[in-house]
């Protein structure tokens, strides 16, 4: 079992067209905490390398987003949220250097 906490930032630029009005290059910003829990399995290919498979759940939701310096809302007036939550599956290669417990992985994420 493994898990982690982190910081999620959703920053960028959007172009919005609403009917005949166009609003271009509006800065977006939002941030929140994120967390992940997962099961980890490793399979040794040799003494210094192996495969790692992880499967878990990512909780990553930005509860409030600002667009053009103003709070973005849904049609009903509630805050616009960006939700990146969902199941995760990773497959990585492990290389051990110097015979110790230090491992380097190169994961490939599939959400």
């Amino acid at each position: 079992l493994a898990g982690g906490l982190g910081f999620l930032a959703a920053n960028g630029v959007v172009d919005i067209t609403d009917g005949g009005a166009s609003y271009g290059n509006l800065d977006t910003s939002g941030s929140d905490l994120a967390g992940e829990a997962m099961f980890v399995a490793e399979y040794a290919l040799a003494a210094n390398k192996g495969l790692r498979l992880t499967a878990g759940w990512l909780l990553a939701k930005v509860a409030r987003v600002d667009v053009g310096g103003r709070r973005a809302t849904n049609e009903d007036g509630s805050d616009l949220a960006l939700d990146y939550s969902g199941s995760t599956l990773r497959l990585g290669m492990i290389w051990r250097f110097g015979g110790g417990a230090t491992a380097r992985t190169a994961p490939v994420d599939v959400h």
Side-chain angles (χ1 to χ4, degrees):
L1 289 176
L5 292 173
F7 183 75
L8 176 65
N11 300 316
V13 176
V14 296
D15 293 324
I16 299 174
T17 302
D18 183 14
S22 180
Y23 309 93
N25 294 325
L26 296 173
D27 290 329
T28 62
S29 63
S31 60
D32 224 321
L33 292 177
E36 185 173 18
M38 68 191 85
F39 295 98
V40 180
E42 291 186 3
Y43 178 77
L45 298 173
N48 65 340
K49 60 186 155 193
L51 294 174
R52 176 179 291 159
L53 177 67
T54 64
W57 184 261
L58 174 66
L59 178 60
K61 182 176 181 180
V62 178
R64 177 183 163 166
V65 179
D66 292 331
V67 177
R70 301 180 65 192
R71 181 176 62 125
T73 58
N74 296 310
E75 288 183 20
D76 64 1
S78 62
D79 286 343
L80 176 70
L82 299 175
D83 194 350
Y84 301 100
S85 300
S87 58
T88 62
L89 182 62
R90 294 184 178 110
L91 177 62
M93 186 76 183
I94 302 167
W95 288 273
R96 295 190 186 338
F97 298 97
T102 303
R104 303 284 188 256
T105 62
V108 176
D109 290 342
V110 178
H111 293 271

